[in-house]
Amino acid sequence: MRKLMHFLCCITAVADKNTVVVRHHPLGKRSSKLHNNNSNNLDNGICGILYKWANFGRGWRPRWFVLYDGVLFYYKINGKVFNSETQNGFTVIGKKSFRFINTCKTTPSSQFLSRKPLREIHLKDSTVMGSCSDDRRFLIITGKKKLQLRAESKDDRLIWLEGLFAAKKAFITSDFVHNPRMNNNCKVGTRESGMKGGNTSRSNEEHYRQEETDDDVHTDNLFFDALDCLSTCSLKTANCYDESSSFDSDNGEVQPSEDGLSSFMRFVECDYPYIERREKLPDPVNEEKGISLWSMIKDNIGKDLTRVCLPVYFNEPLSSLQKCFEDFEYSYLLDQAYEWGRTGNSLMRMLNVAAFAVSGYACTEGRKFKPFNPLLGETYEANYPDKGLRFISEKVSHHPLILACYCEGRGWKMWGDTNLKSKFWGPSIQLDPVGVLNLEFDDGEVFQWSKVTTSIYNLVIGKVYCDHFGTMHIQGSGGYSCKLKFKKQSIMNRNPHQVHGVVQDNSGKTAATVFGKWDESLNYSNVSMDLGQDMAYLLWKQSKQANFQTKYNFTRFAITLNELSPDLEEKLPPTDSRLRPDQRFLENGEYEVANSEKLRLEQRQRQASQMQEKGWKPRWFRKPKGSDTYQYRGGYWEARETGKWESCPHIFSEET
């Protein structure tokens, strides 16, 4: 919030009847003086010096950048730059930029016409990313080309990013909403060839002719209020991502940031709403009583854990269906993978998918309680518009225990089922997941993988801990595959939780290596990158711990999963996990009531096998012929919209 107020104080929206023009005054009165005479000019843009990465020999080179009408231009700096932008009401970004401005009141027309840009980038066809490795850097990707830029300061970078985002969004809105006839040709351009730095030569006119729009194109809504941009996407992104440095380019070592999430974070161009969610669990009503662990364990050694009736004290207030959704805490990695694929970078897409597959294990560290075993037909929905997610899961089989889930995100969908085979060995539990996870992007690329083995140790004596081990194979249809090895922890190993892997192309050639820890972070090294060899880049890092710690050691995200508001309760089907009484009583700290309710539901659940034998079918999932995986059959969100849940049984009721 402090960063938000600081940024809002730097922005003033100056509006007339038809337009709202973005203004930023980094130098107070000096900056304001440049714009007072042109506050109603429709040709306003932003300009200033940015440093462009050339190569290791030349390093960062200063260039004069102009953002205008959805296009970013840059020019060489030879002495003083022309003040045509400032004369037309452009906002100048950065203190150093003012030193290069020609203070002459008029610019010779010959100089203005001879001004040619080194390059122009059409933002409509580009992706803009901020860097977690340097709080002054950002990246613009157009097709297979990328432009690495660095601002003078962190604040200047934020202004440029907001300007680029705003220009792109306004440009698309202006062309496709206010000018329907532009839908037929989709041409991108500006209103004046002079702003491109063009001259009167025939070759230059031909070069820009196809980029120009019609003279009567309306531009009333070309500019929009910066506050709108802040309140929708970029402000939310700034709250979610930490800008502290994660990579020291001088020594080539990874310097983890506070919440560093990837080498380049993406400013997602969407209107995800802000939703306030709880930050702590309810305070317990009763004091928990101690129990004899060994008396509960000794009679159940060697049995299937799903058939063992344990008291509620062994549980955490989440069901296994909700735990399935907990894997999507870092769903932004799939959003990034989607965007990388759109730019044609299949390797970065695979790396982000691999990071997502590993990130799902981070929430398990320190979690020594077991989730509730769902009843047959129990469901869980997660509607998270603030993350661009919609999720539904259902228990589709009692014996064997099978959970099916389906999730829709921004540009992707994911589904799968898991048959969790478990063995209870007294001091430890081993969980072997059986099932395939499927991920499909809107462009048709598909990924598949299975989870690794999980064991929980020291249930009787010592500190309880979990470990994940085995090999995870991620198969992709876009030319790359990834093999990740989760190293099993040993007594002598002082560096546990390690994950190592390689990404290979179809020919078997290694394209990148991956390394890290499943409870901390994941990095990659790509020797073919033009920034150098043997450098490590951060793909993912675990988020901060919750402010209000509990014995369950829930993450910030996990704390929100069982939240139930009156409005939400009215929309849920009677099968949703949040309506399960024993789980709700446990969360509230009413342990005795929770334990009695758990025993009641487990006795009722003994009828589930008979129901399954009589032909019971899942409500929201089905297994197509010839397929080993349950798939979402549709209809859930439509039923939720109408509130018609007649086909859903009241599985938690007192009726037998």
Side-chain angles (χ1 to χ4, degrees):
M1 180 61 67
R2 187 178 302 171
K3 292 182 179 180
L4 166 63
M5 297 304 298
H6 172 74
F7 183 69
L8 290 180
C9 290
C10 296
I11 296 184
T12 305
V14 182
D16 65 3
K17 182 177 180 181
N18 297 319
T19 64
V20 180
V21 181
V22 178
R23 302 272 189 233
H24 174 71
H25 308 303
L27 296 181
K29 295 181 180 179
R30 183 179 183 185
S31 179
S32 302
K33 185 177 180 180
L34 293 173
H35 306 292
N36 289 338
N37 297 329
N38 300 282
S39 59
N40 294 323
N41 197 323
L42 295 182
D43 292 331
N44 288 305
I46 63 175
C47 60
I49 289 179
L50 290 172
Y51 294 85
K52 173 185 172 295
W53 176 260
N55 49 52
F56 276 108
R58 302 180 64 196
W60 296 95
R61 311 298 296 176
R63 296 288 183 262
W64 182 259
F65 281 76
V66 178
L67 176 60
Y68 174 78
D69 202 8
V71 184
L72 181 68
F73 311 91
Y74 65 87
Y75 308 81
K76 281 188 175 181
I77 299 177
N78 297 316
K80 297 287 186 178
V81 299
F82 302 126
N83 64 345
S84 56
E85 285 82 24
T86 59
Q87 290 180 3
N88 286 278
F90 278 48
T91 301
V92 181
I93 307 300
K95 295 181 180 180
K96 188 172 293 187
S97 300
F98 286 92
R99 304 174 189 171
F100 288 84
I101 294 177
N102 191 332
T103 56
C104 296
K105 295 184 178 180
T106 59
T107 301
S109 58
S110 59
Q111 292 183 356
F112 182 79
L113 292 176
S114 63
R115 188 182 182 207
K116 293 179 60 177
L118 295 175
R119 185 180 172 189
E120 61 182 58
I121 299 97
H122 295 273
L123 297 177
K124 175 186 172 183
D125 302 315
S126 303
T127 300
V128 181
M129 301 180 183
S131 171
C132 280
S133 64
D134 188 329
D135 58 14
R136 295 182 298 165
R137 288 171 53 187
F138 58 100
L139 180 75
I140 301 178
I141 302 175
T142 303
K144 295 184 178 181
K145 296 182 179 181
K146 60 183 178 180
L147 185 67
Q148 298 186 65
L149 303 174
R150 189 180 70 187
E152 288 184 52
S153 66
K154 178 180 178 179
D155 291 339
D156 289 345
R157 183 189 80 153
L158 181 59
I159 300 165
W160 273 105
L161 287 172
E162 293 287 349
L164 292 167
F165 171 80
K168 179 175 180 179
K169 185 172 182 179
F171 185 74
I172 295 175
T173 302
S174 177
D175 280 352
F176 291 88
V177 176
H178 301 282
N179 301 284
R181 69 198 197 111
M182 291 293 292
N183 293 334
N184 298 326
N185 53 37
C186 299
K187 291 183 179 179
V188 182
T190 60
R191 294 183 297 275
E192 297 177 3
S193 61
M195 291 308 303
K196 298 182 175 66
N199 54 31
T200 56
S201 66
R202 180 177 180 84
S203 60
N204 203 45
E205 290 178 357
E206 291 176 351
H207 175 72
Y208 290 120
R209 183 177 299 151
Q210 61 181 359
E211 301 293 326
E212 294 179 349
T213 59
D214 295 338
D215 293 336
D216 59 348
V217 171
H218 298 292
T219 57
D220 293 350
N221 294 284
L222 181 62
F223 299 95
F224 71 102
D225 196 342
L227 298 180
D228 292 340
C229 176
L230 286 173
S231 63
T232 56
C233 173
S234 12
L235 172 60
K236 177 168 54 57
T237 305
N239 288 338
C240 295
Y241 299 109
D242 193 333
E243 290 297 313
S244 55
S245 178
S246 62
F247 178 74
D248 187 349
S249 58
D250 293 333
N251 56 28
E253 296 180 356
V254 173
Q255 303 293 335
S257 64
E258 190 76 14
D259 273 336
L261 301 175
S262 66
S263 294
F264 288 104
M265 70 179 185
R266 208 180 70 76
F267 276 62
V268 183
E269 298 168 3
C270 56
D271 292 325
Y272 292 163
Y274 171 75
I275 297 179
E276 185 176 358
R277 302 188 185 275
R278 68 180 185 180
E279 298 181 354
K280 59 177 295 187
L281 296 180
D283 295 327
V285 176
N286 306 125
E287 183 178 352
E288 186 176 2
K289 297 180 180 180
I291 58 174
S292 175
L293 291 176
W294 182 244
S295 63
M296 300 293 176
I297 291 174
K298 63 181 180 179
D299 296 329
N300 297 301
I301 294 177
K303 294 183 179 180
D304 184 347
L305 187 60
T306 61
R307 297 178 181 267
V308 175
C309 295
L310 295 175
V312 75
Y313 306 102
F314 283 86
N315 289 87
E316 63 182 16
L318 288 178
S319 73
S320 296
L321 296 171
Q322 292 168 306
K323 291 281 289 184
C324 291
F325 181 62
E326 199 170 356
D327 286 353
F328 291 89
E329 178 175 0
Y330 302 97
S331 61
Y332 74 89
L333 290 166
L334 297 183
D335 296 341
Q336 291 183 165
Y338 170 66
E339 290 299 327
W340 280 116
R342 290 181 63 189
T343 65
N345 196 326
S346 298
L347 176 58
M348 286 304 302
R349 171 174 282 188
M350 170 57 80
L351 287 168
N352 276 267
V353 171
F356 172 79
V358 173
S359 69
Y361 292 96
C363 63
T364 64
E365 175 64 11
R367 300 279 281 274
K368 57 184 178 181
F369 296 91
K370 67 179 290 291
F372 280 83
N373 181 21
L375 305 184
L376 184 63
E378 186 174 335
T379 63
Y380 174 71
E381 74 157 58
N383 187 22
Y384 276 60
D386 47 334
K387 293 175 69 71
L389 295 180
R390 203 165 64 168
F391 172 91
I392 174 67
S393 57
E394 181 181 11
K395 182 176 179 179
V396 296
S397 175
H398 185 58
H399 285 299
L401 172 61
I402 301 179
L403 310 178
C405 65
Y406 174 81
C407 187
E408 296 175 346
R410 185 178 184 273
W412 54 268
K413 57 184 178 181
M414 187 172 172
W415 69 96
D417 58 44
T418 176
N419 176 4
L420 196 63
K421 295 183 178 180
S422 59
K423 287 296 182 180
F424 192 24
W425 297 115
S428 65
I429 301 173
Q430 180 171 320
L431 306 173
D432 295 304
V434 179
V436 178
L437 297 176
N438 302 269
L439 170 65
E440 181 179 355
F441 292 96
D442 285 354
D443 54 22
E445 189 171 3
V446 178
F447 296 83
Q448 291 183 323
W449 70 91
S450 298
K451 290 198 167 188
V452 297
T453 299
T454 296
S455 286
I456 303 175
Y457 302 96
N458 294 344
L459 295 180
V460 180
I461 301 175
K463 184 179 179 181
V464 178
Y465 70 95
C466 70
D467 191 27
H468 310 285
F469 54 90
T471 302
M472 176 185 292
H473 296 271
I474 304 177
Q475 299 293 334
S477 62
Y480 290 97
S481 63
C482 180
K483 182 168 67 175
L484 297 170
K485 184 176 181 180
F486 289 67
K487 188 176 180 180
K488 189 173 184 178
Q489 184 174 346
S490 63
I491 299 177
M492 302 301 296
N493 187 3
R494 297 184 179 181
N495 191 20
H497 307 166
Q498 292 188 55
V499 179
H500 296 273
V502 294
V503 176
Q504 297 177 324
D505 58 22
N506 289 334
S507 64
K509 181 180 178 181
T510 298
T513 58
V514 181
F515 58 94
K517 295 185 177 182
W518 52 259
D519 64 330
E520 289 184 3
S521 62
L522 194 70
N523 312 286
Y524 78 96
S525 177
N526 183 355
V527 296
S528 65
M529 294 185 70
D530 59 0
L531 290 181
Q533 296 184 350
D534 299 328
M535 289 186 175
Y537 297 86
L538 186 66
L539 276 171
W540 159 78
K541 182 176 175 62
Q542 185 185 22
S543 298
K544 293 179 181 178
Q545 294 296 317
N547 294 328
F548 301 94
Q549 291 291 322
T550 66
K551 66 176 184 178
Y552 305 113
N553 202 31
F554 280 172
T555 64
R556 295 169 182 259
F557 184 64
I559 288 175
T560 69
L561 300 183
N562 202 46
E563 184 177 6
L564 183 63
S565 64
D567 293 339
L568 179 59
E569 187 173 4
E570 294 178 356
K571 300 176 181 179
L572 294 177
T575 55
D576 195 276
S577 296
R578 277 163 290 204
L579 304 178
R580 180 166 175 162
D582 52 352
Q583 184 173 306
R584 182 60 57 186
F585 283 129
L586 177 62
E587 181 182 277
N588 293 333
E590 301 176 71
Y591 303 108
E592 294 295 334
V593 181
N595 195 52
S596 61
E597 282 293 303
K598 183 174 185 291
L599 293 176
R600 177 183 69 83
L601 291 175
E602 287 180 343
Q603 290 174 0
R604 182 176 179 180
Q605 184 67 0
R606 293 190 178 98
Q607 305 173 4
S609 297
Q610 300 176 2
M611 295 170 53
Q612 200 166 324
E613 292 173 359
K614 293 179 180 179
W616 178 90
K617 299 293 183 183
R619 177 64 182 87
W620 307 112
F621 290 85
R622 62 183 177 87
K623 183 182 289 186
K625 292 183 179 180
S627 175
D628 295 330
T629 304
Y630 280 88
Q631 296 183 6
Y632 176 57
R633 63 191 303 176
Y636 178 87
W637 299 104
E638 292 76 9
R640 186 184 192 272
E641 189 70 24
T642 60
K644 296 180 179 180
W645 302 113
E646 290 81 3
S647 61
C648 298
H650 292 261
I651 59 177
F652 306 130
S653 66
E654 296 286 345
E655 300 177 2
T656 57

